[in-house]
Amino acid sequence: MNIGQAASRSGLSAKMIRYYESIGLISPAGRNANGYRRYSDDDLHRLAFIKRSRDLGFSLEEVSRLLTLWQDRQRASADVKALAGAHIDDLNRRIAELAGLRDTLQELVDHCHGDGRPDCPILKDLESGGCCRA
Amino acid sequence: MNIGQAASRSGLSAKMIRYYESIGLISPAGRNANGYRRYSDDDLHRLAFIKRSRDLGFSLEEVSRLLTLWQDRQRASADVKALAGAHIDDLNRRIAELAGLRDTLQELVDHCHGDGRPDCPILKDLESGGCCRA
DNA sequence: CTTGACCTTCCCATAAGGTCAAGGTTGATC
DNA sequence: GATCAACCTTGACCTTATGGGAAGGTCAAG
């Protein structure tokens, strides 16, 4: 199978597959006589694993560790759980941060007339650094 | 005032100030005889406005529009409100997306023993593309 | 033979900076 | 007068995870 088919069947782009190879996330694909990359069903399986991991928000660095654990028949499930747990913590931190921004902004928006007049508490806050919160 | 002082007083880094100038977010600063950038209190005010906007999660593109509205004495507060509202919507979308990922992952983690055995539903899901959700 | 769909490598761009290099300026101290 | 530290200048490369496109090789069909 050439890269195009591996791409469409894994859900990745050909560009991404080449990139993953270039950074060492996957080992270099075999080549046909014409120089085209060749992919086996096993390779495809690995690509789909990567795709799914990325969809769940794991960074390529984390995907790399997941791949290693996946290939390792001696792995402890605790290691996988720890990796996933750390990622969940990370997601929660980012969610809390975004929610904090949203709440601050929402409060500002709530106090803005939103009419044709120029007076605007949102700009006032941006100007002065805010008066009522950290 | 030189760039270092403008930086420490605005909360931005000197590097960021130069960067904002290079991308046209702020107009080129005046120069002293020695070639150093010179900043007025008015410039500082603008820099602090940018810093505060960035802290609230606005992209540089949005900051640019906010600056324009801020300078415009004829602005309608409705325009500012709309911009902030769109940003809130954006934040909410990102929050929902992250929360979705977190929930999926959390469910997988909950089903993983997390012991010394290699059997692991997390890897199983990554492998097969998930069985119980979109 | 040509067309079009593949594939190859290589370079550039993104957002929002960080880091480091190599050099000029300034002010204070010895 | 030398020197040292702290500032400033530009520039170039690093990051993450991709997208876009150029320039060219390959292959099958018409």
Side-chain angles (χ1 to χ4, degrees):
Chain A
M1 168 182 9
N2 286 339
I3 200 173
Q5 216 184 358
S8 67
R9 288 176 60 181
S10 67
L12 297 168
S13 69
K15 202 96 188 191
M16 289 158 69
I17 295 176
R18 291 193 199 99
Y19 174 66
Y20 294 162
E21 181 182 313
S22 81
I23 62 170
L25 181 65
I26 52 182
S27 49
R31 301 291 183 126
N32 289 320
N34 57 17
Y36 290 10
R37 287 176 181 79
R38 185 179 3 94
Y39 296 90
S40 66
D41 282 352
D42 210 59
D43 293 329
L44 188 59
H45 200 186
R46 223 179 313 269
L47 291 173
F49 180 97
I50 293 172
K51 161 73 169 160
R52 171 76 176 148
S53 302
R54 292 286 301 131
D55 282 350
L56 284 177
F58 287 101
S59 70
L60 291 183
E61 171 68 26
E62 290 168 322
V63 171
S64 177
R65 288 201 287 271
L66 284 171
L67 273 172
T68 302
L69 287 170
W70 187 41
Q71 314 287 61
D72 177 12
R73 303 194 146 278
Q74 306 303 313
R75 75 196 164 230
S77 63
D79 290 343
V80 184
K81 190 168 184 171
L83 188 45
H87 185 49
I88 290 177
D89 291 347
D90 198 44
L91 286 172
N92 278 327
R93 264 191 300 276
R94 285 158 60 190
I95 290 168
E97 190 180 334
L98 293 180
L101 299 184
R102 181 201 51 195
D103 293 345
T104 300
L105 263 177
Q106 187 66 60
E107 196 171 332
L108 291 174
V109 163
D110 289 345
H111 287 86
C112 177
H113 315 297
D115 54 21
R117 288 170 296 173
D119 182 54
C120 178
I122 300 173
L123 290 178
K124 273 212 173 55
D125 176 277
L126 290 173
E127 195 177 330
S128 63
C131 61
C132 316
R133 37 144 264 137
Chain B
M1 163 179 16
N2 284 339
I3 200 173
Q5 214 181 3
S8 67
R9 287 177 61 181
S10 67
L12 296 167
S13 70
K15 183 87 191 190
M16 284 302 95
I17 296 176
R18 293 193 199 101
Y19 174 65
Y20 293 161
E21 181 182 312
S22 80
I23 63 172
L25 181 65
I26 52 182
S27 49
R31 301 292 183 127
N32 289 319
N34 56 15
Y36 289 11
R37 287 176 180 78
R38 185 179 2 94
Y39 295 90
S40 66
D41 282 351
D42 210 57
D43 294 329
L44 188 60
H45 202 186
R46 221 181 314 271
L47 291 173
F49 181 96
I50 293 172
K51 160 72 170 161
R52 171 76 177 147
S53 302
R54 291 288 299 131
D55 283 350
L56 284 178
F58 287 101
S59 69
L60 291 183
E61 171 67 28
E62 290 168 321
V63 171
S64 176
R65 287 202 287 272
L66 284 171
L67 273 172
T68 302
L69 286 170
W70 187 41
Q71 316 286 63
D72 179 11
R73 303 195 147 278
Q74 307 303 313
R75 73 189 167 236
S77 63
D79 290 343
V80 184
K81 190 169 184 169
L83 188 45
H87 186 50
I88 289 176
D89 291 347
D90 197 45
L91 288 172
N92 278 326
R93 263 191 299 279
R94 286 158 60 190
I95 289 168
E97 190 180 335
L98 293 180
L101 298 184
R102 181 201 50 194
D103 293 345
T104 300
L105 263 177
Q106 187 66 60
E107 196 171 333
L108 290 174
V109 164
D110 288 345
H111 287 85
C112 178
H113 314 298
D115 55 20
R117 286 172 297 174
D119 182 54
C120 177
I122 301 173
L123 290 178
K124 272 213 173 55
D125 176 278
L126 291 173
E127 193 177 331
S128 63
C131 60
C132 316
R133 35 146 264 138

